[in-house]
Amino acid sequence: MLEEGLSAKQYIDLSKKFFNESKYDECIEAANKALQLNPDAAVAYDELSAVYDDEFNWKLGAENGEKAFFLDPKLYENLASAYKGTQDWKAVKNVYA
């Protein structure tokens, strides 16, 4: 259970910490808390994409990666990784275009 009353940025920071510790359930929970507070938090979507990529859940990795990329085009690496996982080479090429 996560601490309550944090800002979206603080939840994103927690999400990154949990990801680096391979605590994926906690990472997802923190990223989702950040998105409840700020639905346009591109980095939170990017964190979710990274988790799902690491878990080989390419569909959810791509869905969250697309949201991150739409909000901030600099956040493309996890999206490209998800597309590679699905072997959607045309989509991978479009991300890098």
Side-chain angles (χ1 to χ4, degrees), residues 12-44:
I12 289 168
D13 291 343
L14 266 180
S15 180
K16 289 178 182 182
K17 175 184 174 290
F18 290 138
F19 179 81
N20 289 332
E21 296 171 354
S22 298
K23 295 180 178 178
Y24 295 143
D25 290 339
E26 292 89 342
C27 176
I28 291 167
E29 185 180 0
N32 282 327
K33 286 272 196 182
L35 290 168
Q36 287 174 359
L37 295 170
N38 179 3
D40 293 330
V43 176

Side-chain angles (χ1 to χ4, degrees), residues 31-76:
N32 282 327
K33 286 272 196 182
L35 290 168
Q36 287 174 359
L37 295 170
N38 179 3
D40 293 330
V43 176
Y45 288 115
D46 194 53
E47 285 299 310
L48 290 171
S49 182
V51 167
Y52 294 126
D53 288 354
D54 274 16
E55 294 182 335
F56 307 107
N57 188 335
W58 308 121
K59 182 176 185 271
L60 285 176
E63 286 175 10
N64 285 282
E66 287 168 357
K67 291 174 184 175
F69 183 71
F70 176 77
L71 293 166
D72 184 351
K74 294 179 295 204
L75 300 174
Y76 64 88

